[in-house]
PDB file of all heavy atoms in Angstrom:
ATOM      1  N   GLY A 152      99.713 105.181  63.361  1.00 60.00           N
ATOM      2  CA  GLY A 152      99.340 106.329  62.541  1.00 60.00           C
ATOM      3  C   GLY A 152      97.993 106.895  62.895  1.00 60.00           C
ATOM      4  O   GLY A 152      97.548 107.819  62.251  1.00 60.00           O
ATOM      5  N   GLY A 153      97.300 106.353  63.872  1.00 63.00           N
ATOM      6  CA  GLY A 153      95.973 106.842  64.194  1.00 63.00           C
ATOM      7  C   GLY A 153      95.901 107.659  65.492  1.00 63.00           C
ATOM      8  O   GLY A 153      96.910 107.867  66.157  1.00 63.00           O
ATOM      9  N   ALA A 154      94.737 108.112  65.803  1.00 64.00           N
ATOM     10  CA  ALA A 154      94.480 108.895  67.027  1.00 64.00           C
ATOM     11  C   ALA A 154      94.677 107.956  68.233  1.00 64.00           C
ATOM     12  O   ALA A 154      94.406 106.752  68.122  1.00 64.00           O
ATOM     13  CB  ALA A 154      93.149 109.525  67.004  1.00 64.00           C
ATOM     14  N   PRO A 155      95.031 108.538  69.377  1.00 66.00           N
ATOM     15  CA  PRO A 155      95.184 107.672  70.519  1.00 66.00           C
ATOM     16  C   PRO A 155      93.833 107.084  71.049  1.00 66.00           C
ATOM     17  O   PRO A 155      92.842 107.812  71.069  1.00 66.00           O
ATOM     18  CB  PRO A 155      95.821 108.556  71.628  1.00 66.00           C
ATOM     19  CG  PRO A 155      95.467 109.971  71.153  1.00 66.00           C
ATOM     20  CD  PRO A 155      95.343 109.899  69.655  1.00 66.00           C
ATOM     21  N   HIS A 156      93.814 105.825  71.377  1.00 72.00           N
ATOM     22  CA  HIS A 156      92.683 105.283  72.103  1.00 72.00           C
ATOM     23  C   HIS A 156      92.629 105.827  73.506  1.00 72.00           C
ATOM     24  O   HIS A 156      91.623 106.168  74.035  1.00 72.00           O
ATOM     25  CB  HIS A 156      92.765 103.728  72.150  1.00 72.00           C
ATOM     26  CG  HIS A 156      92.621 103.067  70.836  1.00 72.00           C
ATOM     27  ND1 HIS A 156      91.532 103.219  70.021  1.00 72.00           N
ATOM     28  CD2 HIS A 156      93.478 102.309  70.115  1.00 72.00           C
ATOM     29  CE1 HIS A 156      91.733 102.519  68.915  1.00 72.00           C
ATOM     30  NE2 HIS A 156      92.927 101.934  68.947  1.00 72.00           N
ATOM     31  N   LEU A 157      93.841 105.922  74.136  1.00 75.00           N
ATOM     32  CA  LEU A 157      93.980 106.503  75.461  1.00 75.00           C
ATOM     33  C   LEU A 157      95.430 107.059  75.601  1.00 75.00           C
ATOM     34  O   LEU A 157      96.373 106.283  75.458  1.00 75.00           O
ATOM     35  CB  LEU A 157      93.680 105.532  76.532  1.00 75.00           C
ATOM     36  CG  LEU A 157      93.752 106.040  78.028  1.00 75.00           C
ATOM     37  CD1 LEU A 157      92.827 107.239  78.215  1.00 75.00           C
ATOM     38  CD2 LEU A 157      93.398 104.950  78.977  1.00 75.00           C
ATOM     39  N   LEU A 158      95.505 108.347  75.861  1.00 77.00           N
ATOM     40  CA  LEU A 158      96.824 108.963  76.112  1.00 77.00           C
ATOM     41  C   LEU A 158      96.671 109.727  77.433  1.00 77.00           C
ATOM     42  O   LEU A 158      95.730 110.491  77.632  1.00 77.00           O
ATOM     43  CB  LEU A 158      97.150 109.988  74.999  1.00 77.00           C
ATOM     44  CG  LEU A 158      98.411 110.814  75.253  1.00 77.00           C
ATOM     45  CD1 LEU A 158      99.638 110.012  75.218  1.00 77.00           C
ATOM     46  CD2 LEU A 158      98.444 111.950  74.271  1.00 77.00           C
ATOM     47  N   ASP A 159      97.570 109.469  78.364  1.00 80.00           N
ATOM     48  CA  ASP A 159      97.615 110.150  79.652  1.00 80.00           C
ATOM     49  C   ASP A 159      99.050 110.506  79.995  1.00 80.00           C
ATOM     50  O   ASP A 159      99.904 109.581  80.181  1.00 80.00           O
ATOM     51  CB  ASP A 159      97.017 109.225  80.702  1.00 80.00           C
ATOM     52  CG  ASP A 159      96.696 109.928  82.033  1.00 80.00           C
ATOM     53  OD1 ASP A 159      96.876 111.182  82.075  1.00 80.00           O
ATOM     54  OD2 ASP A 159      96.341 109.260  83.018  1.00 80.00           O
ATOM     55  N   VAL A 160      99.345 111.764  80.038  1.00 85.00           N
ATOM     56  CA  VAL A 160     100.682 112.231  80.308  1.00 85.00           C
ATOM     57  C   VAL A 160     100.634 113.458  81.227  1.00 85.00           C
ATOM     58  O   VAL A 160      99.660 114.240  81.100  1.00 85.00           O
ATOM     59  CB  VAL A 160     101.448 112.565  78.990  1.00 85.00           C
ATOM     60  CG1 VAL A 160     100.748 113.676  78.233  1.00 85.00           C
ATOM     61  CG2 VAL A 160     102.904 112.947  79.277  1.00 85.00           C
ATOM     62  N   GLY A 161     101.551 113.591  82.141  1.00 89.00           N
ATOM     63  CA  GLY A 161     101.503 114.733  83.050  1.00 89.00           C
ATOM     64  C   GLY A 161     102.113 114.474  84.388  1.00 89.00           C
ATOM     65  O   GLY A 161     103.082 113.718  84.528  1.00 89.00           O
ATOM     66  N   ARG A 162     101.396 114.981  85.428  1.00 92.00           N
ATOM     67  CA  ARG A 162     101.894 114.849  86.816  1.00 92.00           C
ATOM     68  C   ARG A 162     100.667 114.506  87.720  1.00 92.00           C
ATOM     69  O   ARG A 162      99.617 115.149  87.637  1.00 92.00           O
ATOM     70  CB  ARG A 162     102.493 116.195  87.210  1.00 92.00           C
ATOM     71  CG  ARG A 162     103.035 116.242  88.596  1.00 92.00           C
ATOM     72  CD  ARG A 162     103.693 117.623  88.866  1.00 92.00           C
ATOM     73  NE  ARG A 162     104.292 117.716  90.162  1.00 92.00           N
ATOM     74  CZ  ARG A 162     103.759 118.173  91.226  1.00 92.00           C
ATOM     75  NH1 ARG A 162     102.484 118.664  91.196  1.00 92.00           N
ATOM     76  NH2 ARG A 162     104.456 118.213  92.369  1.00 92.00           N
ATOM     77  N   GLU A 163     100.898 113.567  88.632  1.00 92.00           N
ATOM     78  CA  GLU A 163      99.938 113.193  89.617  1.00 92.00           C
ATOM     79  C   GLU A 163     100.525 113.166  90.978  1.00 92.00           C
ATOM     80  O   GLU A 163     101.678 112.730  91.167  1.00 92.00           O
ATOM     81  CB  GLU A 163      99.326 111.797  89.320  1.00 92.00           C
ATOM     82  CG  GLU A 163      98.509 111.684  88.081  1.00 92.00           C
ATOM     83  CD  GLU A 163      97.968 110.335  87.831  1.00 92.00           C
ATOM     84  OE1 GLU A 163      98.285 109.375  88.593  1.00 92.00           O
ATOM     85  OE2 GLU A 163      97.173 110.163  86.906  1.00 92.00           O
ATOM     86  N   VAL A 164      99.756 113.649  91.977  1.00 95.00           N
ATOM     87  CA  VAL A 164     100.205 113.658  93.365  1.00 95.00           C
ATOM     88  C   VAL A 164      99.200 112.809  94.149  1.00 95.00           C
ATOM     89  O   VAL A 164      97.977 113.107  94.092  1.00 95.00           O
ATOM     90  CB  VAL A 164     100.334 115.080  93.977  1.00 95.00           C
ATOM     91  CG1 VAL A 164     100.790 114.953  95.409  1.00 95.00           C
ATOM     92  CG2 VAL A 164     101.316 115.902  93.161  1.00 95.00           C
ATOM     93  N   TRP A 165      99.670 111.807  94.891  1.00 94.00           N
ATOM     94  CA  TRP A 165      98.821 110.855  95.593  1.00 94.00           C
ATOM     95  C   TRP A 165      99.222 110.880  97.102  1.00 94.00           C
ATOM     96  O   TRP A 165     100.375 110.991  97.421  1.00 94.00           O
ATOM     97  CB  TRP A 165      98.992 109.448  95.087  1.00 94.00           C
ATOM     98  CG  TRP A 165      98.431 109.182  93.730  1.00 94.00           C
ATOM     99  CD1 TRP A 165      98.931 109.569  92.521  1.00 94.00           C
ATOM    100  CD2 TRP A 165      97.181 108.503  93.421  1.00 94.00           C
ATOM    101  NE1 TRP A 165      98.153 109.137  91.518  1.00 94.00           N
ATOM    102  CE2 TRP A 165      97.017 108.497  92.053  1.00 94.00           C
ATOM    103  CE3 TRP A 165      96.226 107.898  94.256  1.00 94.00           C
ATOM    104  CZ2 TRP A 165      95.959 107.887  91.439  1.00 94.00           C
ATOM    105  CZ3 TRP A 165      95.136 107.327  93.612  1.00 94.00           C
ATOM    106  CH2 TRP A 165      95.017 107.312  92.206  1.00 94.00           C
ATOM    107  N   SER A 166      98.239 110.618  97.958  1.00 96.00           N
ATOM    108  CA  SER A 166      98.528 110.242  99.348  1.00 96.00           C
ATOM    109  C   SER A 166      98.742 108.757  99.347  1.00 96.00           C
ATOM    110  O   SER A 166      98.136 108.014  98.500  1.00 96.00           O
ATOM    111  CB  SER A 166      97.419 110.677 100.301  1.00 96.00           C
ATOM    112  OG  SER A 166      96.249 109.982 100.011  1.00 96.00           O
ATOM    113  N   ALA A 167      99.538 108.225 100.246  1.00 96.00           N
ATOM    114  CA  ALA A 167      99.882 106.798 100.277  1.00 96.00           C
ATOM    115  C   ALA A 167     100.175 106.417 101.691  1.00 96.00           C
ATOM    116  O   ALA A 167     100.342 107.243 102.559  1.00 96.00           O
ATOM    117  CB  ALA A 167     101.045 106.523  99.300  1.00 96.00           C
ATOM    118  N   GLN A 168     100.244 105.084 101.869  1.00 95.00           N
ATOM    119  CA  GLN A 168     100.654 104.536 103.196  1.00 95.00           C
ATOM    120  C   GLN A 168     101.769 103.536 103.011  1.00 95.00           C
ATOM    121  O   GLN A 168     101.713 102.737 102.057  1.00 95.00           O
ATOM    122  CB  GLN A 168      99.446 103.789 103.834  1.00 95.00           C
ATOM    123  CG  GLN A 168      98.346 104.689 104.340  1.00 95.00           C
ATOM    124  CD  GLN A 168      98.781 105.570 105.476  1.00 95.00           C
ATOM    125  OE1 GLN A 168      99.520 105.117 106.362  1.00 95.00           O
ATOM    126  NE2 GLN A 168      98.403 106.810 105.450  1.00 95.00           N
ATOM    127  N   LEU A 169     102.711 103.546 103.881  1.00 94.00           N
ATOM    128  CA  LEU A 169     103.800 102.594 103.898  1.00 94.00           C
ATOM    129  C   LEU A 169     103.192 101.301 104.523  1.00 94.00           C
ATOM    130  O   LEU A 169     102.753 101.335 105.640  1.00 94.00           O
ATOM    131  CB  LEU A 169     104.952 103.083 104.728  1.00 94.00           C
ATOM    132  CG  LEU A 169     106.206 102.205 104.869  1.00 94.00           C
ATOM    133  CD1 LEU A 169     106.824 101.987 103.502  1.00 94.00           C
ATOM    134  CD2 LEU A 169     107.202 102.804 105.853  1.00 94.00           C
ATOM    135  N   VAL A 170     103.134 100.195 103.726  1.00 93.00           N
ATOM    136  CA  VAL A 170     102.548  98.983 104.255  1.00 93.00           C
ATOM    137  C   VAL A 170     103.528  97.874 104.590  1.00 93.00           C
ATOM    138  O   VAL A 170     103.206  96.986 105.410  1.00 93.00           O
ATOM    139  CB  VAL A 170     101.495  98.453 103.249  1.00 93.00           C
ATOM    140  CG1 VAL A 170     100.333  99.392 103.139  1.00 93.00           C
ATOM    141  CG2 VAL A 170     102.100  98.147 101.894  1.00 93.00           C
ATOM    142  N   ASP A 171     104.715  97.916 104.026  1.00 93.00           N
ATOM    143  CA  ASP A 171     105.727  96.893 104.314  1.00 93.00           C
ATOM    144  C   ASP A 171     107.045  97.255 103.768  1.00 93.00           C
ATOM    145  O   ASP A 171     107.223  98.327 103.060  1.00 93.00           O
ATOM    146  CB  ASP A 171     105.229  95.571 103.724  1.00 93.00           C
ATOM    147  CG  ASP A 171     105.817  94.308 104.410  1.00 93.00           C
ATOM    148  OD1 ASP A 171     106.669  94.468 105.261  1.00 93.00           O
ATOM    149  OD2 ASP A 171     105.386  93.189 104.058  1.00 93.00           O
ATOM    150  N   MET A 172     108.059  96.437 104.014  1.00 92.00           N
ATOM    151  CA  MET A 172     109.395  96.656 103.424  1.00 92.00           C
ATOM    152  C   MET A 172     109.779  95.332 102.747  1.00 92.00           C
ATOM    153  O   MET A 172     109.543  94.230 103.256  1.00 92.00           O
ATOM    154  CB  MET A 172     110.369  96.926 104.524  1.00 92.00           C
ATOM    155  CG  MET A 172     110.164  98.249 105.295  1.00 92.00           C
ATOM    156  SD  MET A 172     110.441  99.706 104.332  1.00 92.00           S
ATOM    157  CE  MET A 172     112.165  99.918 104.515  1.00 92.00           C
ATOM    158  N   GLN A 173     110.355  95.412 101.543  1.00 91.00           N
ATOM    159  CA  GLN A 173     110.876  94.262 100.885  1.00 91.00           C
ATOM    160  C   GLN A 173     112.121  93.775 101.582  1.00 91.00           C
ATOM    161  O   GLN A 173     112.728  94.487 102.340  1.00 91.00           O
ATOM    162  CB  GLN A 173     111.235  94.595  99.426  1.00 91.00           C
ATOM    163  CG  GLN A 173     110.067  95.017  98.563  1.00 91.00           C
ATOM    164  CD  GLN A 173     110.555  95.288  97.103  1.00 91.00           C
ATOM    165  OE1 GLN A 173     111.487  94.696  96.608  1.00 91.00           O
ATOM    166  NE2 GLN A 173     109.877  96.253  96.485  1.00 91.00           N
ATOM    167  N   PRO A 174     112.507  92.509 101.410  1.00 92.00           N
ATOM    168  CA  PRO A 174     113.705  91.987 102.079  1.00 92.00           C
ATOM    169  C   PRO A 174     114.964  92.773 101.763  1.00 92.00           C
ATOM    170  O   PRO A 174     115.862  92.924 102.584  1.00 92.00           O
ATOM    171  CB  PRO A 174     113.770  90.550 101.575  1.00 92.00           C
ATOM    172  CG  PRO A 174     112.421  90.182 101.196  1.00 92.00           C
ATOM    173  CD  PRO A 174     111.756  91.445 100.709  1.00 92.00           C
ATOM    174  N   ASN A 175     114.974  93.416 100.566  1.00 91.00           N
ATOM    175  CA  ASN A 175     116.147  94.241 100.219  1.00 91.00           C
ATOM    176  C   ASN A 175     116.128  95.667 100.782  1.00 91.00           C
ATOM    177  O   ASN A 175     117.063  96.456 100.536  1.00 91.00           O
ATOM    178  CB  ASN A 175     116.309  94.350  98.646  1.00 91.00           C
ATOM    179  CG  ASN A 175     115.147  95.005  98.022  1.00 91.00           C
ATOM    180  OD1 ASN A 175     114.204  95.506  98.616  1.00 91.00           O
ATOM    181  ND2 ASN A 175     115.190  95.001  96.684  1.00 91.00           N
ATOM    182  N   GLY A 176     115.082  95.996 101.538  1.00 90.00           N
ATOM    183  CA  GLY A 176     115.017  97.315 102.200  1.00 90.00           C
ATOM    184  C   GLY A 176     114.191  98.293 101.481  1.00 90.00           C
ATOM    185  O   GLY A 176     114.049  99.463 101.962  1.00 90.00           O
ATOM    186  N   VAL A 177     113.638  97.994 100.325  1.00 93.00           N
ATOM    187  CA  VAL A 177     112.802  98.937  99.545  1.00 93.00           C
ATOM    188  C   VAL A 177     111.381  98.991 100.174  1.00 93.00           C
ATOM    189  O   VAL A 177     110.774  97.935 100.368  1.00 93.00           O
ATOM    190  CB  VAL A 177     112.734  98.541  98.082  1.00 93.00           C
ATOM    191  CG1 VAL A 177     111.810  99.432  97.301  1.00 93.00           C
ATOM    192  CG2 VAL A 177     114.167  98.634  97.483  1.00 93.00           C
ATOM    193  N   PRO A 178     110.862 100.145 100.444  1.00 94.00           N
ATOM    194  CA  PRO A 178     109.530 100.318 100.981  1.00 94.00           C
ATOM    195  C   PRO A 178     108.444  99.836  99.983  1.00 94.00           C
ATOM    196  O   PRO A 178     108.643  99.957  98.813  1.00 94.00           O
ATOM    197  CB  PRO A 178     109.371 101.775 101.299  1.00 94.00           C
ATOM    198  CG  PRO A 178     110.776 102.362 101.354  1.00 94.00           C
ATOM    199  CD  PRO A 178     111.593 101.490 100.388  1.00 94.00           C
ATOM    200  N   ILE A 179     107.372  99.315 100.552  1.00 91.00           N
ATOM    201  CA  ILE A 179     106.149  98.982  99.772  1.00 91.00           C
ATOM    202  C   ILE A 179     105.082  99.931 100.247  1.00 91.00           C
ATOM    203  O   ILE A 179     104.735  99.924 101.411  1.00 91.00           O
ATOM    204  CB  ILE A 179     105.766  97.503  99.995  1.00 91.00           C
ATOM    205  CG1 ILE A 179     106.898  96.589  99.522  1.00 91.00           C
ATOM    206  CG2 ILE A 179     104.463  97.265  99.221  1.00 91.00           C
ATOM    207  CD1 ILE A 179     106.633  95.112  99.895  1.00 91.00           C
ATOM    208  N   TRP A 180     104.562 100.743  99.308  1.00 90.00           N
ATOM    209  CA  TRP A 180     103.490 101.626  99.682  1.00 90.00           C
ATOM    210  C   TRP A 180     102.227 101.295  98.872  1.00 90.00           C
ATOM    211  O   TRP A 180     102.321 100.726  97.799  1.00 90.00           O
ATOM    212  CB  TRP A 180     103.901 103.108  99.527  1.00 90.00           C
ATOM    213  CG  TRP A 180     104.788 103.504  98.425  1.00 90.00           C
ATOM    214  CD1 TRP A 180     106.150 103.689  98.468  1.00 90.00           C
ATOM    215  CD2 TRP A 180     104.429 103.727  97.056  1.00 90.00           C
ATOM    216  NE1 TRP A 180     106.651 104.042  97.269  1.00 90.00           N
ATOM    217  CE2 TRP A 180     105.638 104.068  96.336  1.00 90.00           C
ATOM    218  CE3 TRP A 180     103.270 103.619  96.308  1.00 90.00           C
ATOM    219  CZ2 TRP A 180     105.655 104.366  94.993  1.00 90.00           C
ATOM    220  CZ3 TRP A 180     103.282 103.932  94.955  1.00 90.00           C
ATOM    221  CH2 TRP A 180     104.467 104.290  94.327  1.00 90.00           C
ATOM    222  N   GLU A 181     101.137 101.806  99.373  1.00 91.00           N
ATOM    223  CA  GLU A 181      99.857 101.615  98.752  1.00 91.00           C
ATOM    224  C   GLU A 181      99.250 103.026  98.544  1.00 91.00           C
ATOM    225  O   GLU A 181      99.132 103.781  99.540  1.00 91.00           O
ATOM    226  CB  GLU A 181      98.934 100.744  99.643  1.00 91.00           C
ATOM    227  CG  GLU A 181      97.670 100.326  98.962  1.00 91.00           C
ATOM    228  CD  GLU A 181      96.934  99.270  99.830  1.00 91.00           C
ATOM    229  OE1 GLU A 181      97.382  98.102  99.867  1.00 91.00           O
ATOM    230  OE2 GLU A 181      95.943  99.708 100.536  1.00 91.00           O
ATOM    231  N   LEU A 182      98.760 103.287  97.345  1.00 90.00           N
ATOM    232  CA  LEU A 182      98.185 104.580  97.042  1.00 90.00           C
ATOM    233  C   LEU A 182      96.774 104.647  97.720  1.00 90.00           C
ATOM    234  O   LEU A 182      96.019 103.739  97.686  1.00 90.00           O
ATOM    235  CB  LEU A 182      98.048 104.812  95.528  1.00 90.00           C
ATOM    236  CG  LEU A 182      99.418 104.854  94.786  1.00 90.00           C
ATOM    237  CD1 LEU A 182      99.153 104.943  93.277  1.00 90.00           C
ATOM    238  CD2 LEU A 182     100.270 105.952  95.262  1.00 90.00           C
ATOM    239  N   ASP A 183      96.469 105.869  98.288  1.00 93.00           N
ATOM    240  CA  ASP A 183      95.217 106.096  98.898  1.00 93.00           C
ATOM    241  C   ASP A 183      94.309 106.927  98.051  1.00 93.00           C
ATOM    242  O   ASP A 183      93.210 106.551  97.663  1.00 93.00           O
ATOM    243  CB  ASP A 183      95.386 106.812 100.251  1.00 93.00           C
ATOM    244  CG  ASP A 183      95.951 105.987 101.343  1.00 93.00           C
ATOM    245  OD1 ASP A 183      95.763 104.786 101.344  1.00 93.00           O
ATOM    246  OD2 ASP A 183      96.605 106.560 102.229  1.00 93.00           O
ATOM    247  N   GLU A 184      94.713 108.174  97.799  1.00 94.00           N
ATOM    248  CA  GLU A 184      93.813 109.113  97.172  1.00 94.00           C
ATOM    249  C   GLU A 184      94.619 110.051  96.213  1.00 94.00           C
ATOM    250  O   GLU A 184      95.707 110.512  96.565  1.00 94.00           O
ATOM    251  CB  GLU A 184      93.163 109.959  98.246  1.00 94.00           C
ATOM    252  CG  GLU A 184      92.229 111.033  97.720  1.00 94.00           C
ATOM    253  CD  GLU A 184      91.659 111.887  98.870  1.00 94.00           C
ATOM    254  OE1 GLU A 184      91.898 111.618 100.067  1.00 94.00           O
ATOM    255  OE2 GLU A 184      90.963 112.869  98.543  1.00 94.00           O
ATOM    256  N   LEU A 185      94.041 110.311  95.041  1.00 92.00           N
ATOM    257  CA  LEU A 185      94.612 111.249  94.090  1.00 92.00           C
ATOM    258  C   LEU A 185      94.380 112.671  94.639  1.00 92.00           C
ATOM    259  O   LEU A 185      93.225 113.094  94.778  1.00 92.00           O
ATOM    260  CB  LEU A 185      93.993 111.085  92.706  1.00 92.00           C
ATOM    261  CG  LEU A 185      94.522 112.007  91.611  1.00 92.00           C
ATOM    262  CD1 LEU A 185      95.993 111.795  91.379  1.00 92.00           C
ATOM    263  CD2 LEU A 185      93.724 111.806  90.352  1.00 92.00           C
ATOM    264  N   LEU A 186      95.464 113.385  94.905  1.00 96.00           N
ATOM    265  CA  LEU A 186      95.364 114.762  95.454  1.00 96.00           C
ATOM    266  C   LEU A 186      95.293 115.846  94.408  1.00 96.00           C
ATOM    267  O   LEU A 186      94.668 116.841  94.554  1.00 96.00           O
ATOM    268  CB  LEU A 186      96.485 115.007  96.433  1.00 96.00           C
ATOM    269  CG  LEU A 186      96.621 114.024  97.621  1.00 96.00           C
ATOM    270  CD1 LEU A 186      97.886 114.333  98.477  1.00 96.00           C
ATOM    271  CD2 LEU A 186      95.370 114.071  98.497  1.00 96.00           C
TER     272      LEU A 186
END
């Protein structure tokens, strides 16, 4: 019932790097910079 301590909603675009692949084939990426 109170005001938010922290509320963050919206859209973010980041640059990232592909660093590895999981054994099931899913890519693992690491975020670089908020664009």
Side-chain angles (χ1 to χ4, degrees):
H156 294 298
L157 180 57
L158 172 69
D159 192 8
V160 61
R162 180 178 185 266
E163 293 181 353
V164 179
W165 289 78
S166 63
Q168 289 294 319
L169 180 64
V170 294
D171 204 354
M172 297 290 276
Q173 294 182 34
N175 63 2
V177 173
I179 299 172
W180 35 260
E181 188 174 284
L182 298 176
D183 288 334
E184 179 184 355
L185 179 62
L186 303 175

